[in-house]
Amino acid sequence: MGGRDDRIGEFFMGFEMSLGWLVPVEQLTYLLAASLFIVGLKFLGSPATARKGNLLASVGMLLAIVVTLLDQGIVDYTTILIGLLIGSAVGAIAAKKVEMTEMPQMVGLLNGFGGAASALVAIGEYWRLSHAGMTVPMNVLVTAVLGVLIGGVTLTGSLMAFGKLQGLISGSPITYPLQQPVNLILLAGFLVGGFYLVTHPNDLNIFFDISAISLILGILFVLPIGGADTPVVISLLNSFSGLAASAAGFVLGNDMLIIAGALVGASGLILTQIMCKAMNRSLASVLFGAFGGGGATSGTATATSSAQKSHRSVDAEEGAMMLGYARSVVVVPGYGMAVAQAQHAVRELADQLEKNGVEVKYAIHPVAGRMPGHMNVLLAEANVPYSQLYDMDDINPEFERADVALVIGANDVVNPDARDNAGSPIYGMPILEVDKAKSTIVIKRSMNPGFAGIDNELFYKDKTMMLFGSAKDVVTDLVTNVKELVTA
């Protein structure tokens, strides 16, 4: 038996040696992992294949981690196991406790942790070389400085974004005199310190000074961002976390980390551009426009204009009759549906309408909710068929043929002022044109403005009926009344 094991061992050793001239095993595995990342990202582009894409990318990351641990003597396996157990426990608890409505905040925290990890890698490598009495190589020094800058900004910026979305910090833009000049002075101070390190590469005090500046820059970077724009900034910070990971990869000389960070950076930037396009905003206006806070001035103007207008309202019974006797209904989900966790009730309502011969479709705006794909995930959780989900460009021509557009908690993405009122702050933003349906029912708690802090002209149109209440309670009442229509 021992002789057979020896022969098997010799076979694999010889096989590996025969491949040595072609490509090292770890590099081949890294190539496979990178391929899985790319294919996984491609699959994540569609709700129908997103689960498979996530699985493929996870397998790729597992392969990369295992090969790195076998190839690099970083720390002992006991320390790695302890970290793995702690991280797994935290992740499992978060997966169970965090609601879908809080997923953007969760993404913000994870971005921050990624930035912190990258910055700590850069600091640790610099510290190791300095304390070993070695002169820090130029390539390591430059990438370490970049890693500290991007990682530090990502950490504190993501924590600020988390606080805004979680309500721990005011969602209104926080501005002060000479804000941008102060930011530029801090950035200039960082750059001066970085250049100083080129000539004095072992000056720990300067290195830690610029590390502190990067943390302050992250806070000041997000302070003037309004609540409506915070999801865009989270997406941008996601891109930053990828760039920080790439910088850490250069510091460590790890090709896989460089590739993975570059993919995260590129995908985060693409997502940021998609969100800006969906709001017809430039990235510069998002970062420096201080929009979306619903400040005192806009709030007063909104209250005044709302008081001068009238709206029509219906109850659940009337709403059920409009829906039950329609031929086609387009459901427009929004953040209000997410907050109330009404997706399962919405699916039940759609099932009842379909039993009554009503055609049901779902209209998904790119920035409905707080992140692209937010509504898709919620509806998928309720087992809504993918074939019923329509993007904005595909569904807008259908509204003119729809008998009823049922808006559940959406606000700014259905505001016709974005199309018709050149004086509106959101003018030019692509919207779901629900006002073109024969009738529109809007489920909302009150007449208060949405995340952008501006009034919605849709609520006062002749064809719009307001149905007030929590989305889950109201939709449940609609289901009950539609059932009575079906059995009548």
Side-chain angles (χ1 to χ4, degrees):
M1 188 71 178
R4 180 185 176 187
D5 290 341
D6 291 341
R7 289 194 299 272
I8 294 174
E10 291 174 359
F11 170 79
F12 281 109
M13 184 178 298
F15 179 70
E16 184 173 348
M17 291 178 64
S18 67
L19 289 177
W21 66 272
L22 181 63
V23 60
V25 172
E26 61 269 17
Q27 295 301 319
L28 187 63
T29 307
Y30 280 165
L31 179 61
L32 175 60
S35 301
L36 289 173
F37 289 161
I38 295 171
V39 175
L41 279 173
K42 174 64 176 176
F43 283 0
L44 285 171
S46 169
T49 57
R51 192 183 298 271
K52 184 185 296 183
N54 190 44
L55 177 61
L56 289 175
S58 299
V59 171
M61 183 57 71
L62 177 63
L63 288 174
I65 291 173
V66 170
V67 170
T68 301
L69 292 178
L70 293 177
D71 183 57
Q72 303 286 336
I74 304 172
V75 291
D76 64 279
Y77 286 93
T78 302
T79 304
I80 292 173
L81 181 60
I82 292 173
L84 179 64
L85 291 175
I86 294 174
S88 298
V90 173
I93 293 172
K96 292 291 185 182
K97 296 292 185 180
V98 176
E99 302 290 347
M100 284 303 304
T101 52
E102 299 172 339
M103 201 52 60
Q105 293 96 300
M106 187 67 178
V107 172
L109 276 181
L110 294 178
N111 288 343
F113 292 157
S118 300
L120 288 174
V121 166
I123 293 171
E125 187 67 6
Y126 181 87
W127 179 278
R128 182 183 70 83
L129 293 174
S130 296
H131 273 260
M134 302 169 58
T135 300
V136 182
M138 182 62 66
N139 62 326
V140 173
L141 180 61
V142 172
T143 50
V145 169
L146 287 176
V148 165
L149 174 62
I150 303 172
V153 169
T154 303
L155 170 60
T156 52
S158 296
L159 292 178
M160 288 292 296
F162 166 80
K164 283 178 175 283
L165 289 180
Q166 192 67 18
L168 302 177
I169 304 172
S170 172
S172 299
I174 301 174
T175 58
Y176 52 86
L178 301 177
Q179 187 166 39
Q180 299 309 326
V182 168
N183 291 345
L184 289 175
I185 290 172
L186 286 172
L187 181 59
F190 184 96
L191 295 176
V192 170
F195 282 120
Y196 179 84
L197 282 174
V198 173
T199 56
H200 301 79
N202 289 75
D203 193 326
L204 284 172
N205 291 329
I206 293 296
F207 187 79
F208 289 129
D209 285 343
I210 65 173
S211 300
I213 291 176
S214 71
L215 297 175
I216 297 172
L217 278 172
I219 296 174
L220 300 182
F221 173 67
V222 179
L223 270 182
I225 305 299
D229 290 334
T230 302
V232 180
V233 175
I234 286 182
S235 178
L236 182 62
L237 290 170
N238 180 42
S239 179
F240 285 179
S241 70
L243 296 178
S246 281
F250 280 108
V251 170
L252 297 175
N254 187 285
D255 295 338
M256 190 69 259
L257 193 54
I258 295 171
I259 294 172
L263 289 173
V264 172
S267 59
L269 187 58
I270 291 171
L271 183 59
T272 302
Q273 291 177 325
I274 290 173
M275 296 178 75
C276 288
K277 182 179 179 182
M279 298 188 300
N280 195 37
R281 306 272 307 284
S282 67
L283 183 57
S285 70
V286 169
L287 297 180
F288 308 115
F291 171 74
T297 302
S298 64
T300 303
T302 297
T304 303
S305 61
S306 298
Q308 296 172 347
K309 300 175 183 177
S310 61
H311 62 271
R312 303 170 63 190
S313 61
V314 293
D315 57 23
E317 183 177 358
E318 294 172 301
M321 292 182 65
M322 292 175 62
L323 294 168
Y325 292 117
R327 290 172 299 176
S328 63
V329 171
V330 179
V331 179
V332 181
Y335 187 66
M337 184 193 79
V339 171
Q341 300 182 20
Q343 60 269 24
H344 295 283
V346 171
R347 168 64 196 274
E348 187 178 0
L349 174 62
D351 289 344
Q352 290 300 323
L353 292 176
E354 288 171 345
K355 288 180 181 178
N356 208 33
V358 181
E359 181 186 29
V360 179
K361 297 178 180 179
Y362 296 82
I364 309 297
H365 193 280
V367 292
R370 288 193 171 176
M371 293 192 76
H374 200 175
M375 296 299 105
N376 300 71
V377 172
L378 286 173
L379 295 172
E381 183 186 9
N383 295 318
V384 173
Y386 298 130
S387 59
Q388 292 184 353
L389 306 183
Y390 290 82
D391 292 334
M392 177 176 59
D393 293 337
D394 295 328
I395 197 64
N396 269 343
E398 298 291 324
F399 281 114
E400 293 182 353
R401 296 186 286 272
D403 293 311
V404 181
L406 179 62
V407 180
I408 307 176
N411 199 322
D412 302 316
V413 297
V414 295
N415 191 339
D417 273 355
R419 182 192 62 222
D420 303 330
N421 183 4
S424 173
I426 62 171
Y427 180 69
M429 183 181 88
I431 61 167
L432 294 167
E433 299 180 335
V434 299
D435 59 314
K436 294 185 177 180
K438 295 180 177 65
S439 297
T440 303
I441 300 176
V442 179
I443 298 176
K444 227 176 155 294
R445 287 183 178 272
S446 67
M447 295 294 290
N448 289 338
F451 215 35
I454 59 177
D455 201 17
N456 192 338
E457 190 63 27
L458 173 70
F459 302 159
Y460 310 103
K461 288 189 172 291
D462 293 337
K463 296 189 296 181
T464 300
M465 314 288 178
M466 303 299 298
L467 183 49
F468 294 110
S470 169
K472 187 174 183 178
D473 295 338
V474 170
V475 175
T476 300
D477 289 342
L478 287 174
V479 171
T480 301
N481 283 279
V482 170
K483 284 181 178 178
E484 294 177 358
L485 291 177
V486 173
T487 56

